[in-house]
Amino acid sequence: MTNADVAALFDRLADLLEYEGENAFRIRAYRAAARTIADQIEALDAIRADETRSLTDLEGVGRDLAAKIETILDSGRLPLLDELSARVPAEVFDLLRVPGLGPKKVRQLVDGLGITSLDALEEACRSGRVRGVKGFGEKTEAAILKSLAFVRGTTAQRQLWDDADQVVGDVLAWMRGCPAVERIEAAGSWRRGCETVGDIDLVAVATDAVAVMEHFRRWEHTTDVIASGGTKSSLRGPRGMQVDLRVVAPAAFGAAWQYFTGSKEHNIRVRSRAREHGWSLNEYGFQPVDSDSRAVPPPATTEPEIYRALGLAWIPPELREGRDELALAAEGKLPLLVEERDIRGDLHMHTTDTDGEDTLTDMVQGARQRGLEYIAITDHGQRVSMARGLDETRLLRQWERIDRLNESLAAEGPASIVVLKGIEVDMLERGGLDLPDDVLARADWVVASLHYGQSQPRERITERILEAIRHPAVRVIGHPTGRLLNRRPAYDVDMEAVIAAAAESGTFLEINAHPSRLDLDDHHAAAARRAGVRMVISTDAHSVRGFGVMRCGVLQARRAGLTSADVVNTLGWGEFRRLLGPRST
Ligand code: DGT
Ligand code: CA
Ligand code: CA
Ligand code: ZN
C-alpha cells in the first residue's frame, strides 16, 4: 500500500460518511488525515517500522486513526469502509467519480431523481430534469455533462513512461524470441519519450505474419485479446495496457515506424511537406500525388530515407510533437540533444540520514559504479520533520563525514568521485528557508524545494520561489512546479516570473528525473532554455536503485530540445568546480 492508496481509502470513507449524512466533524478529520498522508514524502510503512517514531506523530492522526492505518497496511482493507460500501448503493460510487459532484449532491440526485447510473445522469441533464432538484440549475447541468465526458474519457489511466517502458522491454524481448520475427520496434508515445503512455505500438517485419500473431497472443502477460487479425492485433497486457502490433512489408518498415511513432501533429506536417514535393505519404510509403505519374517514389525502408527525401535531417522522436522541428530540420538547425552518457554528476539525492533507504557510503559507491565524477548529497532540511529533516547540528555532522569520505576517496587517485556537501532546503510557508543563512553559506550545493503550503495562492507561491532564487546560497530550484503525474497537479505558480528571475540571478532550475515528477516539463524547460537559464537533471535518488531514473530526466530534457550546454551536470568535475566558485571544496 502506497501512501496514496491509504489516503484514497480515507477519502472514500469520508465520501461515504458524508453520503450517509454523518457528523461533519468526523468527516473533516478523515479528510484531513487523507491529505496529510498523501502529502507525506516518507512511506507510512517506514514510519511504522521505525521504533523511534509513531504514526501519531503525523498531523491530525490520533490513536484511532493510527490503528486504522495499521489495519490498512496489514490487510489492505478497512472494515468500517467495507461495511459502509456494502450499505451504499453501487451506483453511488460511479456518481462520485464525476468531478464537482460531492457526496451531498449525489445523495440529492439519487433520492430526488432516482439516478442509478452515469447514463441516467446524462439523460436527466439533457432532459433538464436535474435543474428541478434544489440547489441545481441550468449551469450545473451543463457542468455535469462536461464532467461526464471527462470521467468517461479518462477511465483507462495513462501509465508513467518508466512503467510503460518495462512493459515495452518485456514484450519486445518476448517477440524477439519468435523465429518468424525479422525486426520489431516500439513506436508511439513511448518512443517519443512522453511523460505518460496511453497504449504501446509495435511495428514488425516478419517472414510469417500468422506465426508472429500467434506468438504475440501467447505472451505470458496477455490478459485479453482485443483484436486479432492477419497483420494487426491488439491485446491487453500488464497494468491493463493495450499493446498494438502491426506486421508490415520490409520495404515499408521505415514508413510504418515513422507513421506509428507520431505524433499525429508531426505526421500531419510531414505529410503536407511530402505533398509539396509531389508525394503522398502514409504507413506504406510514398506515392505520387498525381495518379498518372510514372515517377518512381523515394524509398521508405528506413526513417532517414523518408526525411531525406523531404529535404529534412532525421528528426529524433523526442522532438516530433509538431512544434518547430520541421523548420529546424530543414535549416539543419536541430539541436544536438543531450544524451545520458553526457551526464557526469548527480546533484540531488537522499540518504538514511533523512528519508533515503541507503547510507551515505552506499550512495557514494553506487554513484561511482555508475561512473559519475561528482555527486551532491542533499538530504532534507528540518522543515520536513516526518523525514527527520536535518537541523544545523546533524547537517554539520553529516558534512564532517563527507569531508572524511572525500579525503579517503582522493587518496584513491584522480579516477575517484567527489562528494559535495549539499542540502535540500525547504521554502517555508511564511517565506524564508528552513536552515540559517550562515550554515547554507558553507554548503557546496543548495537545492531549494517547496514541499508544504502547496495550496497557497499563486502570488504567495511565486513570491516564495523568487525569494529562494535570489538567495545567494541557493544554486537550483528542485522540482519547480511540484506536480506528481497522475496524482497531483502543479501548484499555482507564475513560471514566467520564475524563469526570468532564474535567468537574472544565474540560478539553475531542476529537471527532476523521477518518473512521476519530470519537473520541469518539456514546455517549461524549453522556455527556460530560450531565456538562457541552465538546468540540472537530477535523480532525487532515495536509494542506489534510484539512480536508474536519470534516463527519464534526460528524455524530458531532449523533448525540450536541450543540448549538453544547457545542462550543468554534463560538465566534467574540473569545469563544474570552477562554476561552483571559490566557496567550494
Ligand atoms: P498514446 O498512445 O495516447 O500515448 O499516444 P500515441 O502518440 O502513441 O498515439 P496512438 O497510439 O493513438 O497512435 C500512435 C501513432 O500513430 C500516433 O502518434 C500517430 C499515428 N496515428 C494513429 N492514428 C492516427 C490517425 O488517425 N491519424 C494520424 N495522422 N496518425 C495516426
Ligand atoms: Ca500509443
Ligand atoms: Ca495505439
Ligand atoms: Zn529530494
Side-chain angles (χ1 to χ4, degrees), residues 30 37 75 115 148 217 253 365 465 481 504 514 524 550:
Y30 285 126
I37 292 165
S75 66
I115 303 281
L148 276 171
R217 287 194 298 272
F253 181 78
Q365 288 313 326
I465 297 178
T481 78
E504 196 185 312
H514 192 282
H524 287 143
M550 182 57 87

Side-chain angles (χ1 to χ4, degrees), residues 225-517:
V225 177
I226 299 165
S228 166
T231 57
K232 181 183 174 211
S233 295
S234 297
L235 48 79
R236 204 162 289 291
R239 303 177 162 276
M241 288 198 87
Q242 181 173 330
V243 187
D244 297 340
L245 169 63
R246 290 169 188 86
V247 176
V248 303
F253 181 78
W257 201 19
Q258 195 282 332
Y259 179 90
F260 291 112
T261 294
S263 65
K264 211 166 168 176
E265 292 69 25
H266 174 82
N267 286 356
I268 287 169
R269 283 161 209 226
V270 170
R271 277 202 303 271
S272 88
R273 191 171 172 99
R275 270 193 299 279
E276 288 164 22
H277 283 69
W279 306 108
S280 73
L281 175 66
N282 59 22
E283 64 265 49
Y284 303 107
F286 289 106
Q287 296 293 323
V289 171
D290 169 7
S291 54
D292 296 337
S293 165
R294 306 229 166 134
V296 180
T301 316
T302 69
E303 281 194 343
E305 285 172 340
I306 296 170
Y307 287 99
R308 202 179 311 133
L310 303 177
L312 299 169
W314 178 79
I315 300 175
E318 296 92 330
L319 295 179
R320 299 185 195 171
E321 294 296 342
R323 296 173 194 167
D324 57 354
E325 69 270 15
L326 259 64
L328 293 173
E331 294 168 38
K333 286 190 180 151
L334 284 171
L336 193 58
L337 300 181
V338 61
E339 295 180 33
E340 193 182 356
R341 62 164 185 232
D342 298 331
I343 301 292
R344 313 278 284 274
D346 190 350
L347 297 165
H348 184 165
M349 68 189 65
H350 299 267
T351 75
T352 44
D353 289 347
T354 61
D355 58 352
E357 289 167 30
D358 287 322
T359 63
L360 172 63
T361 36
D362 287 343
M363 292 301 280
V364 173
Q365 288 313 326
R368 265 182 100 171
Q369 261 156 32
R370 296 191 71 88
L372 294 173
E373 295 174 30
Y374 53 93
I375 57 171
I377 302 294
T378 57
D379 268 315
H380 289 289
Q382 56 196 355
R383 172 64 184 90
V384 189
S385 53
M386 288 315 302
R388 284 176 306 138
L390 303 176
D391 59 14
E392 178 173 344
T393 317
R394 287 176 61 221
L395 178 61
L396 294 178
R397 250 189 267 139
Q398 187 192 59
W399 286 355
E400 279 167 27
R401 276 155 57 217
I402 293 177
D403 280 335
R404 285 200 298 277
L405 197 55
N406 274 324
E407 280 164 29
S408 61
L409 287 166
E412 293 179 33
S416 189
I417 187 170
V418 176
V419 186
L420 297 172
K421 291 177 283 189
I423 181 75
E424 180 178 12
V425 287
D426 249 71
M427 306 173 201
L428 296 172
E429 292 94 316
R430 58 168 192 278
L433 303 174
D434 67 344
L435 279 161
D437 287 352
D438 62 319
V439 175
L440 297 183
R442 293 161 63 187
D444 298 322
W445 185 255
V446 177
V447 183
S449 304
L450 194 150
H451 291 114
Y452 296 93
Q454 299 202 0
S455 48
Q456 286 180 352
R458 183 182 180 88
E459 303 72 49
R460 195 64 209 104
I461 300 244
T462 306
E463 203 178 316
R464 286 164 71 192
I465 297 178
L466 294 188
E467 190 191 348
I469 286 175
R470 292 175 183 137
H471 190 289
V474 172
R475 296 293 193 157
V476 59
I477 303 301
H479 40 75
T481 78
R483 63 100 175 254
L484 290 174
L485 287 162
N486 285 347
R487 274 169 57 195
R488 189 171 75 198
Y491 36 71
D492 197 2
V493 54
D494 180 351
M495 275 308 286
E496 230 173 286
V498 166
I499 288 169
E504 196 185 312
S505 66
T507 306
F508 307 125
L509 297 179
E510 180 178 84
I511 296 180
N512 190 294
H514 192 282
S516 53
R517 289 200 182 272

Side-chain angles (χ1 to χ4, degrees), residues 124-147:
C125 285
R126 294 206 187 286
S127 61
R129 284 192 295 135
V130 168
R131 71 188 68 161
V133 180
K134 186 165 171 275
F136 290 77
E138 240 173 288
K139 273 206 186 117
T140 357
E141 269 175 358
I144 291 174
L145 283 172
K146 231 173 160 181
S147 297

